[in-house]
Amino acid sequence: MGPDPHLKWIVSGMVCTQFLACYFVKDLSWKWIFFWAYAFGGCINHSLTLAIHDISHNIAFGNKQTKWNRRFAVFANLPIGVPYSASFKKYHIDHHRYLGGDIVDVDIPTDFEGWFFSTPFRKLLWLIFQPLFYALRPLYVNPKPVDKMEVYNALVQLSVDFILCYLWGLKPVVYLVAGSVLGLGLHPISGHFIAEHYMFIKGYETYSYYGSLNCITFNVGYHMEHHDFPSVPGSKLPLVKKIAAEYYDTLPQHNSWICVLWDFVFEESISPYSRIKRTCKLPNEG
């Protein structure tokens, strides 16, 4: 457990890469803007959201430097195009503390989502617009007061978007935002959203994936290991599995995030309803 000294440099390189890409796409036609947003920018931006996930566990600078972690998350947020990191931090702690908790864990789809997105075509639409549901669901299910860090996150993000637009026009900003929307929607990397906690086998609500896409997603596929040891950096989660192989090797696991997406769409037994939901007693309820 403890900080990952390499994380801040990796993330900084990814942020700089996206800003360099903004310069190169400023004169491209719109079709190529969206092509590169999906094929290149979407991969980096999705990976940055997972870096923000690690940073929310204070992995960048350690538990004693929480302010630096939160500020660095705002920096990692810049290529995503919309303010995200501060709100994610606020809700993600509840996801770990009250996994599957009704109302508290906003990772759980609403009853409407489970009821409506129940056919292959509708489930496909749900995957495409998944970023929208993830963004809006907390505001409906468990709204929380806006804090100072969220205001700071928004001001910094919108300022950088304005600067990019002023320097190079609208296309770089569209490239960044489109990369986030497309990369978090129907995209191979997005299979982890479904793979992590959807109950493909009755009685098992958390699954790991040990495939090659972990190389570009900060090992988010090692999800059972992460929930067991959330303070361990993603870079060291393979070591956790190696040390405790007798506990993890026998548990159900996914071999392909693409297959997860396919099964989610076409298997009748899998839908947004395929999550364990439990009632959690919160501390302030006595």
Side-chain angles (χ1 to χ4, degrees), residues 170-191:
L170 183 63
K171 288 182 177 179
V173 178
V174 172
Y175 162 79
L176 293 178
V177 176
S180 299
V181 174
L182 297 174
L184 293 166
L186 189 62
H187 194 282
I189 299 176
S190 292

Side-chain angles (χ1 to χ4, degrees), residues 87-101:
S87 298
F88 175 81
K89 165 77 172 179
K90 186 167 62 176
Y91 284 100
H92 187 64
I93 300 303
D94 289 339
H95 169 68
H96 276 270
R97 188 174 297 163
Y98 308 107
L99 179 63

Side-chain angles (χ1 to χ4, degrees), residues 60-274:
F61 296 97
N63 289 323
K64 294 182 179 179
Q65 301 289 341
T66 55
K67 289 185 178 180
W68 278 105
N69 282 290
R70 300 194 75 181
R71 290 167 182 162
F72 188 65
V74 172
F75 171 73
N77 192 147
L78 295 179
I80 295 172
V82 294
Y84 158 83
S85 64
S87 298
F88 175 81
K89 165 77 172 179
K90 186 167 62 176
Y91 284 100
H92 187 64
I93 300 303
D94 289 339
H95 169 68
H96 276 270
R97 188 174 297 163
Y98 308 107
L99 179 63
D102 188 18
I103 299 177
V104 188
D105 183 3
V106 296
D107 195 48
I108 299 286
T110 62
D111 288 336
F112 170 78
E113 291 172 74
W115 167 77
F116 184 78
F117 297 100
S118 55
T119 67
F121 177 70
R122 291 177 183 178
K123 286 191 284 186
L124 183 64
L125 288 178
W126 188 79
L127 290 175
I128 293 172
F129 293 105
Q130 194 170 204
L132 186 64
F133 289 111
Y134 266 88
L136 298 181
R137 191 186 299 134
L139 304 178
Y140 170 75
V141 174
N142 187 21
K144 295 184 178 184
V146 176
D147 60 30
K148 292 181 180 180
M149 199 63 196
E150 287 177 292
V151 174
Y152 173 73
N153 187 187
L155 290 175
V156 171
Q157 184 65 58
L158 294 175
S159 297
V160 170
D161 289 347
F162 175 80
I163 291 171
L164 286 174
C165 196
Y166 177 78
L167 291 176
W168 298 326
L170 183 63
K171 288 182 177 179
V173 178
V174 172
Y175 162 79
L176 293 178
V177 176
S180 299
V181 174
L182 297 174
L184 293 166
L186 189 62
H187 194 282
I189 299 176
S190 292
H192 79 87
F193 287 125
I194 307 300
E196 291 166 358
H197 297 297
Y198 280 74
M199 196 165 58
F200 283 77
I201 299 175
K202 190 173 182 179
Y204 294 90
E205 67 173 317
T206 302
Y207 302 78
S208 283
Y209 155 81
Y210 302 119
S212 58
L213 288 178
N214 279 301
C215 294
I216 59 172
T217 56
F218 298 93
N219 288 324
V220 74
Y222 289 76
H223 216 66
M224 289 184 292
E225 295 83 350
H226 171 63
H227 272 264
D228 287 342
F229 303 100
S231 294
V232 172
S235 60
K236 294 184 179 179
L237 289 176
L239 182 59
V240 171
K241 180 182 182 295
K242 182 179 179 180
I243 292 172
E246 66 272 25
Y247 295 100
Y248 294 113
D249 286 349
T250 57
L251 294 174
Q253 57 190 251
H254 292 292
N255 297 315
S256 167
W257 281 340
I258 295 176
C259 288
V260 166
L261 294 173
W262 179 273
D263 290 343
F264 176 81
V265 172
F266 293 106
E267 289 286 338
E268 291 185 6
S269 60
I270 306 295
S271 75
Y273 266 141
S274 301

